[in-house]
Amino acid sequence: MKSKDVDNMLAAGLISPEQGMAIRKHFCLDENRWSRWLLYCLIALAGVFIVAGLVMLVSANWDEIGPLGKMLVAMELLVFFWVLWYLKRKTSPLLAEMWGLCGAGMWLGCIALYGQIFQLQNPFVEGCTLFFSGIVLLPFVSKQRFIIWLVMVVSFVLLVVMGVEDDSILSFANWIKGWKPQYIIYTLPLLLALWWGLSEKWRVCSERWRSYGWMAPLLLVVAVIVGQCMMYLDGEDITLGVVEWVLMGLVPVLLLLLKPRSISWLSWCSMSLLISLLLPSCLLSCYLGELAEDAVAVGDLGEDAVLVGLCGISDWMSHAVGIAIYFGMASVMMSCGVRSGRVSWVNIGSLMVVFAAVALVADVLGSYTFSGLVLVVGGLLMLLVVVLLEKKRRKLVKSVKNEAISSQS
């Protein structure tokens, strides 16, 4: 909803001025989103500059400062930033969050500093775990929009290093018997689903938690971009065991447990299924691409025209399946966005359509016949989706107007 929509409803007498003010406040329509995001970025950048500058000053005088002095300076700076956060948390919340970000940065600096002083040779996973342990609770204890982003990013890094490295007691290989590094590919979607589900719940919570909801569209964009890229990569021999199926099966279960109260079960189940199918769809597309490569490796293609045709069809099918799946997912996401009033879902679904269209154009360079057929079918499907979405949009607008009229009467 935009501010102009509220003005139109006020002019038509559908809502009262008090209701208009409540709608503007609820959706933050009086604030300029671009200027607000620019302010957040500049504040975060200022915090990064401050921490980086302090680290450079210490590095410039490294030889003149003794080990005890280095430790004291690092701890004093860490405490200093958090004292500033405490003093500014009520009068200047955004400035306080910047000081909190500086405090988190100094925690990382202290870890690196102590490792340098004592010549520690610990694996990277242990230092990453120590840093994550020091910041993970901060966004849940106090409002920290910058640090919640840092916690999210570090959680992905930590999961990767714990799954890949095997030279530390914190590695999965030392916990789980038979653990293989490739399992991490099937674990990452589970972590992404956790953060996305939490972000969607936070979007309809209190004001403090609602400020963390900005991560939901970002994570969804990352998911569809990664899925799009993986669908057109040539896959190696894919074998799915019990562990892989269990990890992929946990994604929809986790999302169903994180259902927001403002989203209907139909829309949330559809979105959960969509997110859960991203990785299996990529594996299917890669598997079809592998079949095409295997077909090319059989016999002398120059002497067998039938085999050449089959190889071309197999290679085209691996791309066509991925494109068709993406069109279907985009349609589901836009439909759920219209039904639930989530503009971000509609926009990201439209972005998926653009991705699929780009893939179609790229395929045209290889085969006019197959790509032309897919373009015709895809265009018809897209036209059908547009008609359905327009009907749902009109129905949504009509229901909003009827609700406003009934509440006014």
Side-chain angles (χ1 to χ4, degrees):
M1 180 175 289
K2 300 179 180 179
S3 180
K4 185 178 180 180
D5 298 329
V6 180
D7 294 337
N8 292 335
M9 286 190 289
L10 285 171
L14 299 177
I15 58 176
S16 64
E18 292 77 13
Q19 290 175 326
M21 292 179 61
I23 293 174
R24 291 178 185 275
K25 183 178 180 181
H26 179 75
F27 291 102
C28 302
L29 299 180
D30 290 331
E31 300 180 16
N32 190 315
R33 293 187 177 183
W34 288 110
S35 62
R36 189 168 71 251
W37 275 106
L38 178 61
L39 179 61
Y40 290 159
C41 293
L42 291 177
I43 288 290
L45 190 61
V48 172
F49 283 170
I50 292 172
V51 175
L54 291 173
V55 171
M56 289 182 180
L57 289 176
V58 173
S59 301
N61 300 277
W62 185 263
D63 296 331
E64 288 76 13
I65 305 175
L68 180 60
K70 295 173 184 176
M71 295 173 60
L72 291 176
V73 169
M75 289 188 293
E76 288 173 357
L77 288 173
L78 177 64
V79 174
F80 173 72
F81 285 134
W82 283 110
V83 169
L84 288 178
W85 166 82
Y86 182 80
L87 296 175
K88 293 292 183 179
R89 72 188 191 283
K90 293 183 179 180
T91 57
S92 302
L94 189 58
L95 188 60
E97 290 184 48
M98 188 206 70
W99 296 125
L101 179 63
C102 293
M106 280 310 305
W107 171 240
L108 178 62
C110 288
I111 295 174
L113 178 63
Y114 294 157
Q116 180 69 24
I117 292 175
F118 298 105
Q119 297 296 317
L120 301 178
Q121 302 297 325
N122 298 72
F124 176 76
V125 62
E126 296 182 2
C128 187
T129 304
L130 183 60
F131 177 61
F132 182 76
S133 302
I135 64 173
V136 64
L137 295 179
L138 295 177
F140 302 97
V141 175
S142 62
K143 187 177 180 180
Q144 297 286 345
R145 281 170 289 193
F146 299 136
I147 297 182
I148 191 68
W149 172 82
L150 189 61
V151 169
M152 180 189 67
V153 173
V154 175
S155 67
F156 281 96
V157 176
L158 181 59
L159 181 63
V160 171
V161 295
M162 291 179 71
V164 175
E165 293 187 359
D166 57 358
D167 56 349
S168 173
I169 193 175
L170 299 175
S171 303
F172 289 152
N174 296 322
W175 294 2
I176 305 173
K177 185 178 180 180
W179 174 267
K180 300 178 182 179
Q182 57 265 31
Y183 288 162
I184 198 66
I185 298 176
Y186 306 93
T187 309
L188 286 172
L190 192 61
L191 180 60
L192 186 142
L194 173 63
W195 279 113
W196 180 73
L198 288 174
S199 301
E200 288 291 348
K201 286 184 71 71
W202 290 335
R203 292 181 69 173
V204 294
C205 290
S206 60
E207 182 62 28
R208 172 190 164 187
W209 297 104
R210 194 179 303 161
S211 60
Y212 295 161
W214 65 269
M215 296 191 300
L218 176 62
L219 289 170
L220 199 55
V221 169
V222 171
V224 298
I225 289 178
V226 173
Q228 174 76 9
C229 295
M230 289 183 63
M231 280 185 181
Y232 306 108
L233 294 178
D234 294 331
E236 298 179 357
D237 187 22
I238 299 173
T239 56
L240 297 179
V242 177
V243 177
E244 290 89 343
W245 284 113
V246 169
L247 290 173
M248 289 191 294
L250 289 175
V251 175
V253 176
L254 176 62
L255 288 175
L256 291 178
L257 294 175
L258 295 174
K259 176 189 173 297
R261 65 175 182 268
S262 62
I263 305 297
S264 66
W265 275 106
L266 178 59
S267 297
W268 187 251
C269 289
S270 300
M271 287 296 294
S272 300
L273 183 63
L274 188 150
I275 299 298
S276 305
L277 289 178
L278 275 175
L279 180 57
S281 301
C282 297
L283 296 178
L284 175 61
S285 181
C286 292
Y287 177 71
L288 291 175
E290 183 67 18
L291 289 180
E293 291 183 2
D294 292 342
V296 172
V298 176
D300 186 0
L301 298 181
E303 299 178 359
D304 194 340
V306 176
L307 187 59
V308 171
L310 290 176
C311 293
I313 293 175
S314 299
D315 186 41
W316 172 79
M317 280 295 295
S318 65
H319 294 275
V321 169
I323 293 171
I325 290 173
Y326 237 64
F327 269 122
M329 289 183 172
S331 303
V332 172
M333 187 177 296
M334 288 188 289
S335 177
C336 293
V338 172
R339 190 184 302 114
S340 304
R342 290 292 174 88
V343 179
S344 60
W345 293 1
V346 178
N347 293 338
I348 296 173
S350 303
L351 182 65
M352 294 177 69
V353 172
V354 173
F355 287 160
V358 171
L360 283 174
V361 173
D363 277 354
V364 167
L365 299 177
S367 172
Y368 287 102
T369 302
F370 293 121
S371 297
L373 178 61
V374 175
L375 281 171
V376 171
V377 176
L380 293 175
L381 290 175
M382 190 181 301
L383 181 61
L384 178 62
V385 169
V386 170
V387 172
L388 293 176
L389 287 176
E390 178 62 19
K391 288 184 177 180
K392 289 183 177 293
R393 187 190 68 82
R394 291 181 180 180
K395 184 178 179 180
L396 178 63
V397 172
K398 184 177 180 180
S399 62
V400 171
K401 290 182 178 179
N402 292 336
E403 185 178 353
I405 293 172
S406 61
S407 62
Q408 186 176 10
S409 60

